[in-house]
Every structure is written in C-alpha cells, then in structure tokens.
Amino acid sequence: MRRQRIDALALDSYQRAARVMLANHLVTRVYPDRIALPLIRRWATELREDLAELFGYRLEVTETTARLYPVHDRLDDARPARSVNDRVFDRRRYAYLSLALAALGRAGDQITLSELAEHVADYASRIEGLDLSTERAADRDAFVDAVGWLGARGALTLADGDAGGWASDPEAGEALYDIDRPVVFALFRPPRALQHLHSVRGLLAEDTEQAQADQARRVRRALVERPVVYVDELSSAERALLGQDRLVGEVEYCTGLRAERRAEGVALIDTSGRLSDTRFPGTGTLAQVALLLIGEIADAVLDLDNPISQRPGALTPDDALLDHLDTSIPTAGVFAPLADDRETSTAATDFIDEVEDAETVTYPFLDDAWVRTTVTALTDRYGATFAAQWQADVGGLTTEVLALLTKLRLIRPVEDGLLVLPALARYRGAVVTVRVRKAEELFVTAADTDGSTPAGGS
C-alpha cells in the first residue's frame, strides 16, 4: 500500500472513502448520499491502486459515477437486494430489474413508468414462466420495487407524477423519469458474457493454483466481505496468511477498522457504521429478539448440568447453492464451446478433501423444537414490546431472527436445527432490563460490546 503518500491528517478522509466504496460498489451523485462521490473522486488515484493491490478489485471513476468491480470467491445468499421499503427481492423482482435495465439501455433521456412497463412486459413474455401484467396488483408492486431500486441509485430520477399512484391504478396514475445513462451502464457490467456461461461458477474467482499474492488477496477479500472469517473455512495456506499481522494490518489501515482476533477467526469491527450493511446490536424488534435469543443460546451452551450435543459442520463452500442456481440456467442459446472449462470448480473439491483429512470440527447443536420453544417463551414474556406485525406471528419472527443471525455468521442453519458458531460468544453477556412505563413494558438491552458491528457483508 501507499502508506507513505497519505498524510496522517488526511488518513481519516481516505479511510472513509475506502469504506464507502467497499460497502456500496456503486457511488453516484445521489447514492448512497450526496457527499460520497466528491469524497471518492478526491481519493480516486489512491483507491484505484490500493483496492487493486489489496483485493484484486477494479475501480472506475467518472464525473458522475464510481464503480467498484469486485472479485467473488463464493456466493452469498444472505445479502439480497431490498426495496426502498425494505422488502426482500424475490425472483420476479430480480427479473423485472434486469429487464428494466435492458429497456433503459435502449431508451432516450426520459421514459414514463407505463412505457417502461410495456417494454418489460414485452421482454418478459418471451421468457417461459415470466410475465408482467399491469392488471395484477402483485406484478405492479414488484415492478415498482425494481424501479424504486434503480431510483435510489440515481439511474432514474422522478421528474413528474407518482409511481405509487400508478401502482394503485395504472389507468389514472403515471410517472415520468429522467434517465441517467452513465449510471445505467455502470450498474450491469458482468465480467463475462452471460450467454457464454453454463455454470454460475464462471462468475466466481478462477479456481486454479494460486500464487501467494493471490491467496493473500482472497483472505483480505474475506475480511471485508464477511462479518467473521473463521479459520475452519480456509485452506492451510490461507490460515497461515490470516495469522500474519502484516496482512490484517493492511486491511485495518485501508478501512480504518480494527481487527478482533480469536483462536477461531478474525472479524473487522466497524464502529463507524459505514462498512456494515447491518448494524448489530441494533434497534427494532428483530435485532432485539436476536440479542435475547443469543443470551438463551449462550446459556444453553454453557449449561454444564445439561450439556447439549455437538455436530460436525465444516464451513465449506456452498456447492448446493451453486448447483441449485445452475438448474435455472436455460440451455437454449448457451454457447458451450465458448464457455471456460475452469468453471467445473476444482478448488471447492480440494478444500473439502483437505477439511476431511484434518481433524473434524464440531459445533454445539440446538434442534428446531428448542428454537421454537425459546422464541415463543421470549414472545410471551416481552411480546407487548414487539412491533405489532410480530406479536401474532411467532413463526415469521423466528424465521427472520434466524436469518439475521445467519447473515451475521453467528449460527449456521442445518436441516433439523442450527449450529452455534464461535462469534456468538461475543454477545453472550447481554443484559435485559424491563421497565414499566404507562402500564406498558419496554425493554432495552446492553451487550458486553462497544455496540459495534462485524464489518463484513457490506
């Protein structure tokens, strides 16, 4: 890194720029806020060189956009796209988003919402199993969510009208958008032509024998992309690199975060809140119930009088997710001769063989019945303080809380329960205080942490 070129008085500004770029990958004049792009442009040269050297990422900066093209070593299903109302994108919303980008790439400087819907509906009609009918409210809502996602990032700017009015009644409502073409083109830039791929593995980093420099970049990428990097998910060479003070120190210097080291792994702690997409501990019912459940899990694990079972659970690459996605790739129009044979992934197999040869790692196991019973008990005790939507939906609350803990890499779901991962112990000292105010119970929590969040998963 070019440490000697960054003055100590300006280091904080550089680190803020690095965190913004690593967290968002796309920065425009309005996204994530209006001060981000000038900050990135100020440090464009240093960021371009350092992000390439440390992580193997490519950064392109123009007058109106800054686009980071990351290298993905694995898939992550815990970070879905979300609407402006925090709805998780489903397959239909992803499809509408992709088709809207295709339509905008051929449009002029402005487009109405109904016109864009017509283009997307036309494209969707050519895809088996997909359509967009403006007569169906569910289709309109999904389409507006995709348009809102583009609007939040500056690809579309509302010039007149109201998308909500169109979603309610497309005959009476309408919206006119200005199109920012540089943002549209920056949003979708795959590293390879998708029609040439016959496996999702082709979008991941090359699975070949790596030089030490490439292995170091893989470890640094893991530190900024995952909430926790566990040693059990690394190869022997990568474990050695993770243990080097110099490698971790380079990431700390670039991001301005501090590394928390344990025997089980390393996590970057984000007290700034600018690299983490999920702050934990946090406010809201899901975060509070998650913290309460952590306390119950920790008590169960530490109960020497009633020891719980242990199960092996090597944190290996998720081949099941890769295979599941591959089954969705259409065979028509795929040019197999142009596809790269390296997509057959030998790295995952080699890693699994290495793990099997090593000593088996086990984790505490809790079954589904225990989880359901515990969340129900927490709801009975504190339910009056929960958001109204969760008070009568214990099943939905349980699902969302477990998804949050999984995303933070504190647990790992298995077929009939969950495995307790080491980082969960960081929050085991949570204290819950219930106070009565105007005949209503409110609870606040305090953890034995500094309130910060593991930084990966941005």
Side-chain angles (χ1 to χ4, degrees), residues 69-336:
Y69 297 93
V71 176
H72 295 289
D73 298 299
R74 58 187 293 177
L75 297 181
D76 184 358
D77 60 353
R79 295 161 54 189
R82 293 180 178 271
S83 71
V84 292
N85 296 320
D86 206 35
R87 277 192 293 267
V88 174
F89 269 40
D90 54 16
R91 296 181 67 179
R92 182 172 297 274
R93 285 170 170 78
Y94 280 121
Y96 290 164
L97 175 60
S98 300
L99 296 178
L101 277 171
L104 292 174
R106 297 175 172 87
D109 295 328
Q110 287 188 321
I111 194 168
T112 63
L113 190 59
S114 58
E115 183 182 0
L116 181 57
E118 289 178 4
H119 289 306
V120 172
D122 179 48
Y123 295 158
S125 66
R126 308 175 196 177
I127 303 173
E128 184 178 355
L130 179 67
D131 61 355
L132 168 58
S133 173
T134 56
E135 297 179 356
R136 288 195 295 264
D139 285 8
R140 296 197 303 269
D141 289 341
F143 175 68
V144 168
D145 281 346
V147 171
W149 189 94
L150 292 169
R153 284 151 183 80
L156 294 172
T157 302
L158 184 65
D160 192 16
D162 176 27
W166 181 90
S168 299
D169 184 359
E171 296 296 329
E174 185 58 284
L176 176 66
Y177 289 94
D178 295 324
I179 303 172
D180 192 324
R181 301 183 67 80
V183 176
V184 170
F185 294 140
L187 272 170
F188 185 67
R189 294 274 297 277
R192 300 178 58 195
L194 298 186
Q195 66 267 31
H196 296 170
L197 300 179
H198 54 69
S199 171
V200 176
R201 291 177 175 86
L203 297 175
L204 303 180
E206 294 182 1
D207 297 327
T208 58
E209 289 295 327
Q210 298 176 323
Q212 187 175 25
D214 293 327
Q215 291 177 331
R217 291 189 185 99
R218 183 184 291 266
V219 174
R220 295 190 198 99
R221 290 196 291 263
L223 284 170
V224 296
E225 293 171 358
R226 307 176 201 170
V228 185
V229 180
Y230 292 108
V231 295
D232 297 327
E233 63 188 341
L234 303 178
S235 67
S236 57
E238 291 168 344
R239 293 177 190 178
L241 289 168
L242 184 64
Q244 292 181 2
D245 291 339
R246 177 181 176 182
L247 182 143
V248 176
E250 288 171 338
V251 179
E252 288 180 313
Y253 183 86
C254 177
T255 62
L257 309 183
R258 65 177 179 84
E260 185 171 292
R261 300 167 181 257
R262 297 290 186 267
E264 299 85 1
V266 178
L268 286 182
I269 305 304
D270 180 17
T271 58
S272 71
R274 295 303 298 266
L275 186 56
S276 304
D277 61 345
T278 301
R279 193 166 183 83
F280 190 79
T283 58
T285 297
L286 295 181
Q288 297 289 349
V289 175
L291 198 59
L292 290 167
L293 183 58
I294 285 174
E296 299 295 329
I297 292 174
D299 288 345
V301 172
L302 297 174
D303 188 353
L304 300 180
D305 295 328
N306 298 286
I308 63 177
S309 61
Q310 301 273 327
R311 279 196 183 181
L315 302 175
T316 56
D318 193 352
D319 282 345
L321 178 59
L322 287 165
D323 294 337
H324 180 67
L325 291 174
D326 283 349
T327 61
S328 302
I329 297 177
T331 55
V334 176
F335 302 97

